[in-house]
Amino acid sequence: MLSISRFCSGWLLTLSLLIAAPTPTQAGESDETLTVGIFAYRPADQMASMWEPTARHVESVLKNRRVELRILNQQEMAAAIGQGELDVAFTNPTHYIRLRAANRLSGAVATQVTIENGVAVSELGGVVIRRKDRADINTLTDLRGKRVGIPGREYLGGYVAQAALLKERGIPLSAIDFVALGNPHDKVIEAVIHGQVDAGFVRTGILEALRSQGSRVTDQLEVVEPQSFAGFPFATTTPLYPEWAVVAMPHLDDNTARRLAAALLTMEHTDPAARAAGIYGFTIPENYRPVEEAMVALRAPPFEMAPEVSTGEFVEQHQLIFLAVSSALLVLVSGGIVFVTLNRRLSASKAQTEELNQQFQSLSDSVPGVIYQYTLRPDGTSHFPWSSGKMKDIYGCTPEEVQNDATAVFAVIHPDDMPHVRQTITESANRLSVWHSTYRVNHPVHGVLWMEGSASPSRQNDGSITWHGFIRDITDIQQARESLKLAAEVLAATTDGVVILDREARVESVNPAFERLTGFSNASLLGSSLDTLSAAGAALVPLTDQPWRGDRRWQTASGKVIPVLVSISPVVNEAGGLVHHVVIANDITALKARQDELDRMANYDLLTGLPNRRMLTDRLEQAVAHARRTGEKLAIAMLDLDGFKPVNDRYGHEAGDLLLAEVARRLLAAMRTEDTVARLGGDEFTLVFRNAQGQAAFERILDTVHQPVQLPYGKVQVSASMGVSYLNTKDPLTGEQLMRQADLALYQSKQAGRNRYTVFQ
């Protein structure tokens, strides 16, 4: 949240909050580009990098305007304004006063809040420094006849503030030898340290920034006539002046100007735009009249033609007789002129005040939150001397109801959050630090709402503390935060591996389950492609705007290849554009093993590991189709063991199973790799001979089966009877029909005495 700088008495006059009303020919214009000129106090590329995020932030609020930045030096900015090329200008206070005088610009739309050494301030001052060993310089008067280093005469904190104070003290600037060293202010400090100048002028915050960076240079320096101001954390010699100003050109329409002001005022210090610019944000515009008065007193451009004439100068320029005669007339005439002028100015000031009041009220009502002034009295009571109309939206009460007593506000703060709110107020009051708090409100109409507030305190002469700040409803944001927190917790707790890919298919983040699944850490995968996980370099899948689900093989960090089930879902924005892909992966190693086991059970004999009838049918049909297509010779054999039952009867079924397993092994060894051996059940086997070459293979089968088998129970010996059927490619027989023919031939072998084969005729 941005902080609002302290109001001074008559704040409605001093806050030049809104731009002047547009001319009739310009009112309502809707130029799509808002051109913003920024004073180039650093190289143009660095300035563009700093302020581009702010331009994008303003665009998000204006909606229908594109913001274009122009980085200009002071001469270029003056020329661009003169030619009507800029809609908005952002520059330092003295330059703003020069531009306003030359172009009749309106008041500032906002004042920059800087962040100096971790402290937010919207004001600056001038510091006079000397080396500690220069005991001859203790007051500003001691600067007479000395060489004083300055960055330049155009800088408020580096010259104008100090010079105006010297002139106010009656110390002639001509009695001091000023040496312009240029920016940055560090050059002045170096010159003072090395004795190149006797003293130096720098802006506030420079010394403290050097200390925070660990520099010991400031240990050798002393501030001349230091002053302190409540809530201002830096050493200063001069009074305080406002920071940089954002100024709208006269031709910019009121609606855009108000929305521009709202965009700047609602920029939080945590916003990436504020961080990029190195600032805390923006506040309602400060009173720049003191800057103008200082420049007028110094006869600085553009006020060099309005010299201040002292009595001594008047005496030197006129005769005593003329002075005596003219004095009376001059007093009378001047008095009349002054009276008329003051009367006119009073009328104009009153009209201007009313206009500013209306403009300020319009702006405050446009801001999405309440702008307020809150005072804590010494007796512990508090009230809101001023607040905008949005007070009712935030707390359910009107500004008038809390103008003298803040009880109605604290009555609706959630009881669980009240201790925290009071604690933060107390800490802010004790330290005069920026108050910031997030809490709930029991709104009488809208129920429980989340609020976020921020304000800057200052101590008053009567001992009370007054804050100026801003509070907004963040219920939607808080709900989104809680949803994101819940989603993050769910993502961290889920056992599914989850990856977020950007629109270029690069890894943005992975959850812990994904790290456990693959062995790769989030840091090692960040910015890379998931294709690196795919085994053998296979692509993940084409990433499109459609969901996808399927199996993939991934290689883990240890080199192990695992099967994974991958689901990919596209994520689109409100405009329908693809912005992310969410990848969910599960290790299906156990599932694949189970599937393989089920497949083996469905297609293979559990005892021998040979194909069963189901797989045999499939292979036989393929073999028949291939033989018909190529003309190769195909033979089918049905085989039964002779003497198997006596083994079972004598040694038991376990011995029979061992015998069948050994026979299966021997049959596999006797067959070629392209052939098939299957067990149909019991001691029945089927053999498929692809491209059969004579009948020697049948003899080899009978011989290998007839060899004795050594079992744990003793040595046994069986033989085999086999029937063979050849495929005639001219006959439309199926594999099942060939098996029946071979079975008939097997029966003939058994009838003929067993341990032989018979070919079906």
Side-chain angles (χ1 to χ4, degrees):
M1 297 299 299
L2 63 88
S3 63
I4 307 299
S5 61
R6 58 184 177 82
F7 285 69
C8 61
S9 60
W11 53 271
L12 285 175
L13 284 172
T14 59
L15 285 176
S16 301
L17 183 59
L18 296 173
I19 61 169
T23 63
T25 58
Q26 295 162 335
E29 291 184 358
S30 182
D31 186 3
E32 294 183 355
T33 301
L34 186 74
T35 306
V36 180
I38 300 181
F39 170 45
Y41 57 92
R42 290 181 182 171
D45 57 345
Q46 185 177 355
M47 292 288 293
S49 176
M50 290 172 61
W51 292 104
E52 276 293 341
T54 299
R56 305 292 79 79
H57 171 80
V58 172
E59 283 181 346
S60 69
V61 176
L62 297 185
K63 303 296 185 185
N64 61 338
R65 289 295 187 98
R66 183 177 68 86
V67 177
E68 175 188 353
L69 298 184
R70 293 183 59 184
I71 313 302
L72 308 168
N73 60 34
Q74 294 188 2
Q75 293 76 19
E76 291 170 340
M77 185 176 292
I81 291 175
Q83 296 172 12
E85 298 174 358
L86 300 182
D87 300 307
V88 179
F90 179 43
T91 187
N92 63 49
T94 54
H95 189 215
Y96 161 50
I97 296 300
R98 289 199 297 274
L99 293 175
R100 188 174 70 178
N103 299 277
R104 296 183 179 180
L105 301 182
S106 65
V109 172
T111 294
Q112 174 184 288
V113 180
T114 61
I115 183 75
E116 298 284 357
N117 197 23
V119 179
V121 292
S122 59
E123 296 172 302
L124 62 90
V127 185
V128 180
I129 58 173
R130 66 165 174 87
R131 253 180 22 191
K132 285 185 177 180
D133 58 2
R134 290 298 300 266
D136 57 324
I137 304 176
N138 293 308
T139 67
L140 296 180
T141 304
D142 296 334
L143 295 178
R144 288 174 179 265
K146 301 294 193 301
R147 283 170 55 85
V148 176
I150 61 173
R153 295 179 185 268
E154 68 273 25
Y155 298 104
L156 175 60
Y159 174 75
V160 173
Q162 296 93 328
L165 182 59
L166 290 172
K167 192 164 183 68
E168 180 183 331
R169 295 279 189 89
I171 303 172
L173 301 181
S174 59
I176 301 174
D177 181 14
F178 289 106
V179 181
L181 300 173
N183 241 346
H185 290 229
D186 297 23
K187 294 182 179 179
V188 175
I189 293 176
E190 290 294 325
V192 173
I193 291 294
H194 294 100
Q196 298 168 352
V197 293
D198 302 306
F201 291 174
V202 295
R203 66 165 282 163
T204 52
I206 299 296
L207 300 178
E208 290 79 5
L210 288 174
R211 290 194 197 100
S212 68
Q213 295 166 10
S215 173
R216 303 300 299 272
V217 170
T218 56
D219 293 344
Q220 307 176 48
L221 299 176
E222 192 82 38
V223 176
V224 179
E225 293 194 23
Q227 298 188 57
S228 62
F229 295 92
F232 190 75
F234 309 122
T236 180
T237 302
T238 74
L240 301 182
Y241 296 88
E243 269 283 2
W244 282 40
V246 179
V247 190
M249 298 299 109
H251 63 262
L252 191 65
D253 62 277
D254 280 346
N255 182 49
T256 301
R258 284 195 297 270
R259 291 166 63 200
L260 169 64
L264 297 177
L265 292 177
T266 55
M267 181 192 295
E268 300 184 32
H269 67 278
T270 56
D271 193 290
R275 293 184 182 275
I279 63 174
Y280 193 84
F282 292 88
T283 183
I284 56 178
E286 296 276 3
N287 179 19
Y288 288 88
R289 184 61 180 272
V291 180
E292 181 176 350
E293 291 174 348
M295 295 173 67
V296 170
L298 296 175
R299 301 179 188 175
F303 307 110
E304 67 271 26
M305 299 307 294
E308 180 180 277
V309 181
S310 67
T311 303
E313 292 172 330
F314 190 89
V315 170
E316 292 176 358
Q317 297 175 13
H318 300 84
Q319 298 296 328
L320 291 176
I321 295 176
F322 174 78
L323 177 61
V325 173
S326 303
S327 293
L329 292 176
L330 182 60
V331 169
L332 292 174
V333 173
S334 298
I337 293 174
V338 168
F339 177 79
V340 173
T341 302
L342 288 177
N343 188 55
R344 289 178 178 175
R345 288 182 178 177
L346 182 61
S347 299
S349 177
K350 183 178 180 181
Q352 184 182 15
T353 299
E354 293 177 354
E355 181 182 359
L356 286 175
N357 281 338
Q358 293 176 357
Q359 292 176 337
F360 179 74
Q361 192 63 48
S362 176
L363 174 62
S364 64
D365 290 342
S366 300
V367 173
V370 59
I371 301 173
Y372 68 92
Q373 181 185 38
Y374 170 71
T375 297
L376 178 63
R377 303 184 182 100
D379 63 1
T381 62
S382 61
H383 66 121
F384 289 82
W386 183 89
S387 57
S388 63
K390 293 294 180 69
M391 175 67 77
K392 194 170 185 63
D393 294 341
I394 300 298
Y395 292 116
C397 53
T398 65
E400 293 75 19
E401 291 173 332
V402 293
Q403 191 168 15
N404 297 313
D405 185 0
T407 302
V409 165
F410 290 102
V412 297
I413 294 179
H414 197 285
D416 293 343
D417 296 341
M418 178 62 76
H420 170 71
V421 173
R422 290 204 178 278
Q423 178 187 354
T424 55
I425 292 175
T426 300
E427 291 177 353
S428 177
N430 291 338
R431 301 175 183 176
L432 289 181
S433 58
V434 173
W435 172 78
H436 185 87
S437 185
T438 301
Y439 54 93
R440 288 166 293 176
V441 166
N442 290 318
H443 195 280
V445 177
H446 306 298
V448 177
L449 303 176
W450 278 94
M451 300 298 167
E452 185 176 55
S454 184
S456 297
S458 60
R459 191 178 301 280
Q460 307 304 311
N461 294 333
D462 62 356
S464 62
I465 306 293
T466 296
W467 286 263
H468 294 87
F470 179 78
I471 296 173
R472 66 167 180 164
D473 182 345
I474 61 164
T475 303
D476 292 342
I477 297 175
Q478 189 68 20
Q479 290 174 348
R481 289 173 180 168
E482 292 175 354
S483 296
L484 287 175
K485 181 181 178 181
L486 178 61
E489 292 174 350
V490 171
L491 194 63
T494 183
T495 57
D496 296 337
V498 181
V499 187
I500 308 298
L501 302 177
D502 63 16
R503 68 179 65 197
E504 303 298 331
R506 295 185 297 262
V507 175
E508 281 193 356
S509 66
V510 304
N511 72 338
F514 189 87
E515 293 180 330
R516 293 191 296 270
L517 172 67
T518 65
F520 290 100
S521 66
N522 181 68
S524 65
L525 289 174
L526 195 64
S528 64
S529 168
L530 279 187
D531 287 345
T532 57
L533 295 178
S534 298
L540 176 67
V541 286
L543 296 176
T544 67
D545 58 354
Q546 298 297 320
W548 183 90
R549 179 183 176 90
D551 294 354
R552 281 293 184 267
R553 292 170 60 79
W554 281 1
Q555 185 168 315
T556 66
S558 64
K560 179 182 178 181
V561 176
I562 60 173
V564 290
L565 177 62
V566 180
S567 298
I568 302 179
S569 300
V571 180
V572 298
N573 56 22
E574 294 179 355
L578 187 64
V579 292
H580 291 94
H581 280 92
V582 177
V583 180
I584 301 177
N586 290 285
D587 184 354
I588 56 173
T589 301
L591 178 62
K592 281 290 186 182
R594 180 60 178 163
Q595 288 179 342
D596 292 343
E597 177 65 15
L598 292 175
D599 182 68
R600 190 182 70 81
M601 293 174 63
N603 295 283
Y604 292 87
D605 176 52
L606 296 180
L607 174 63
T608 63
L610 296 177
N612 60 14
R613 180 179 291 274
R614 179 180 178 183
M615 179 170 281
L616 171 65
T617 300
D618 181 64
R619 289 190 179 182
L620 185 56
E621 292 300 328
Q622 293 182 30
V624 170
H626 181 74
R628 292 189 186 282
R629 187 170 60 254
T630 62
E632 74 175 18
K633 195 171 185 180
L634 177 67
I636 308 299
M638 300 295 291
L639 182 149
D640 272 1
L641 296 182
D642 303 325
F644 176 72
K645 188 175 184 300
V647 174
N648 258 350
D649 293 343
R650 181 177 181 181
Y651 298 109
H653 289 290
E654 185 176 353
D657 290 345
L658 291 174
L659 176 59
L660 290 173
E662 175 60 21
V663 170
R665 186 191 65 77
R666 291 181 181 184
L667 290 175
L668 280 174
M671 299 284 284
R672 298 171 301 177
T673 56
E674 64 266 28
D675 297 335
T676 297
V677 181
R679 181 189 178 213
L680 302 185
D683 60 344
E684 296 180 281
F685 296 87
T686 301
L687 294 80
V688 180
F689 297 89
R690 304 276 295 269
N691 195 22
Q693 303 291 328
Q695 299 180 359
F698 308 146
E699 295 287 351
R700 186 170 66 251
I701 294 296
L702 295 176
D703 182 64
T704 191
V705 172
H706 193 57
Q707 297 299 318
V709 178
Q710 182 65 50
L711 298 177
Y713 317 99
K715 184 178 292 185
V716 299
Q717 188 173 24
V718 295
S719 61
S721 296
M722 188 165 62
V724 180
S725 174
Y726 283 97
L727 172 69
N728 184 347
T729 57
K730 296 181 179 180
D731 294 334
L733 296 178
T734 65
E736 287 290 336
Q737 291 172 325
L738 288 173
M739 289 177 63
R740 285 196 291 271
Q741 289 181 355
D743 199 41
L744 292 174
L746 168 63
Y747 180 75
Q748 295 175 6
S749 294
K750 286 182 177 292
Q751 292 294 322
R754 304 177 185 275
N755 192 24
R756 69 190 65 227
Y757 70 89
T758 301
V759 177
F760 179 81
Q761 299 295 330

